[in-house]
Amino acid sequence: MSMTAPLTLPVLLTGITGFIAKRIALDLLEAGYAVRGSLRSPAREAEVRAALTAHLSDPALLDRLSFVTLDLAEDDGWQDALAGTQALVHTASPFPMVQPKDEEAIIRPAVDGALRAMAAAQAAGVTRVVLTSSVVAIEACDKGPGQAFSEADWSDPAHPLSNAYYKSKTLAERAAWAFVEKHPEMQLSTINPSLVLGAPLDAQYGTSLQLIERILRGKDPMLPDIGFGIVDVADVSAAHLAALANPDAAGRRFIASSGSATMPEIGRYLAERHASRRIPTRAAPRIVLQVLSLFDPSIRTVLPGLGRLAQFDASAAERDLGVSFAPWQDAVGRAADAVLAQMD
């Protein structure tokens, strides 16, 4: 794919306080881009600046960082935020640890936010968009034994695996592609990462690393036999930047994943790495989890995925975006180191 150099106009990066978005902001600044980051609350601007300052090769790069206040559920400010920008990188979307009682509480902000962002970009004459989706918009469908999921697959909202989060990401991405069909000048790429781990830029790492924290704390004597694709946040960011810089990436989805592991496998890896901690490694029997789920909503969420380990084909991102994905063990290890630094 051909590549374009950064331009002087800023990139609007939504949800800049997020685990993934902070890393994208860092990499955009290092690559020569100007960044306009969106916040729900201006009070978090200092948090983002501090996180980036700690990792930038040159603190002067912060001179190319600015902020706007936006809400996924409100129209106010979107067109002004996109005015004078060269591209939109839309990462903002709800990601709860526990599924809400009303699934519309996360579906509507995700779908409406994606459409609001796309419409504001189109109205501002901004045609280049990179949207952070997820493999949960891909994997809730049935494949043959041993078959890996690819970008051609789409989650079915009616599939047993589709909880509110799966639906939110699937319907939001579908809405974005439907918008492109009506406005063919829009050049959309989506990055569909699996479970994003790795090293956060600060202690505000959100839902993704809470899974690792839970295992490290030994909260559960056994772990559910569920599996995930795993990817390092640095590689997810690299995929976003590569898609942004490559015109040929427009119109395409890209899976970002480095391999898959079950929670007991993750537990065993962490137990070997941190032998002084009491880390669970055994798989919990299904009947035990069914009983525990009556009292713990986070366990109830995982029941449909028991015994399932999806595999993902990330060869398109490797081949066409030039991204090399670190082994899942590295992503887990870096996440664990960051979590332990906060726990100890």
Side-chain angles (χ1 to χ4, degrees):
M1 287 185 173
S2 59
M3 299 184 68
T4 57
L7 303 175
T8 55
L9 294 177
V11 172
L12 177 64
L13 174 62
T14 67
I16 195 171
T17 58
F19 170 43
I20 297 173
K22 278 178 183 162
R23 179 61 195 239
I24 294 173
L26 175 72
D27 292 342
L28 284 170
L29 291 171
E30 291 283 2
Y33 291 89
V35 176
R36 185 180 295 171
S38 83
L39 307 155
R40 286 188 64 188
S41 168
R44 297 190 68 181
E45 178 178 332
E47 169 198 321
V48 176
R49 287 189 178 276
L52 294 174
T53 299
H55 297 275
L56 283 169
S57 61
D58 180 359
L61 294 176
L62 282 180
D63 293 344
R64 296 204 303 271
L65 175 66
S66 60
F67 295 90
V68 291
T69 302
L70 296 173
D71 191 309
L72 292 176
E74 302 290 339
D75 289 331
D76 292 348
W78 280 93
Q79 288 200 21
D80 289 342
L82 277 150
T85 63
Q86 61 166 306
L88 165 67
V89 178
H90 182 56
T91 76
S93 189
F95 184 12
M97 185 70 171
V98 178
Q99 299 301 306
K101 291 182 179 179
D102 179 8
E103 61 182 20
E104 289 297 313
I106 66 171
I107 293 174
R108 284 270 59 85
V111 175
D112 292 349
L115 286 175
R116 190 165 276 114
M118 294 286 293
Q122 193 266 343
V126 177
T127 58
R128 191 71 186 97
V129 181
V130 179
L131 181 145
T132 311
S133 187
S134 171
V135 294
V136 304
I138 287 173
E139 66 172 310
C141 60
D142 296 321
K143 299 280 283 187
Q147 288 187 322
F149 290 94
S150 75
E151 290 88 354
D153 294 310
W154 277 96
S155 287
D156 177 0
H159 192 276
L161 200 64
S162 283
N163 57 31
Y165 178 62
Y166 275 66
K167 292 175 185 177
S168 74
K169 298 301 286 188
T170 303
L171 295 174
E173 189 187 341
R174 285 283 198 189
W177 287 116
F179 186 90
V180 171
E181 288 185 9
K182 295 179 180 178
H183 304 279
E185 74 275 17
M186 300 300 289
Q187 301 168 19
L188 174 66
S189 302
T190 68
I191 307 300
N192 297 67
S194 54
L195 178 67
V196 183
L197 299 176
L201 299 193
D202 61 7
Q204 308 301 317
Y205 46 71
T207 303
S208 293
L209 271 63
Q210 288 176 12
L211 173 69
I212 300 301
E213 181 179 353
R214 181 166 181 148
I215 295 174
L216 289 170
R217 289 190 183 279
K219 179 178 179 180
D220 309 298
M222 295 178 285
L223 298 171
D225 184 23
I226 58 172
F228 317 93
I230 298 171
V231 65
D232 194 286
V233 65
D235 299 335
V236 174
S237 177
H240 281 75
L241 265 69
L244 183 64
N246 284 287
D248 293 342
R252 296 183 60 187
R253 312 167 85 199
F254 295 94
I255 288 174
S257 190
S258 63
S260 301
T262 65
M263 283 191 68
E265 285 178 315
I266 295 171
R268 288 192 290 271
Y269 174 73
L270 291 174
E272 291 175 3
R273 212 166 175 268
H274 303 282
S276 63
R277 304 193 72 90
R278 298 185 63 180
I279 295 174
T281 59
R282 291 191 300 153
R286 179 182 291 267
I287 186 62
V288 172
L289 291 172
Q290 288 173 333
V291 173
L292 291 176
S293 70
L294 299 174
F295 310 98
D296 188 335
S298 65
I299 294 177
R300 192 178 312 136
T301 299
V302 307
L303 290 179
L306 286 177
R308 189 176 190 271
L309 182 61
Q311 302 290 340
F312 300 97
D313 179 0
S315 60
E318 294 173 331
R319 180 186 65 246
D320 297 333
L321 297 182
V323 179
S324 297
F325 293 106
W328 70 260
Q329 294 91 339
D330 291 355
V332 169
R334 290 169 189 145
D337 290 345
V339 169
L340 286 170
Q342 299 302 317
M343 289 170 53
D344 297 337

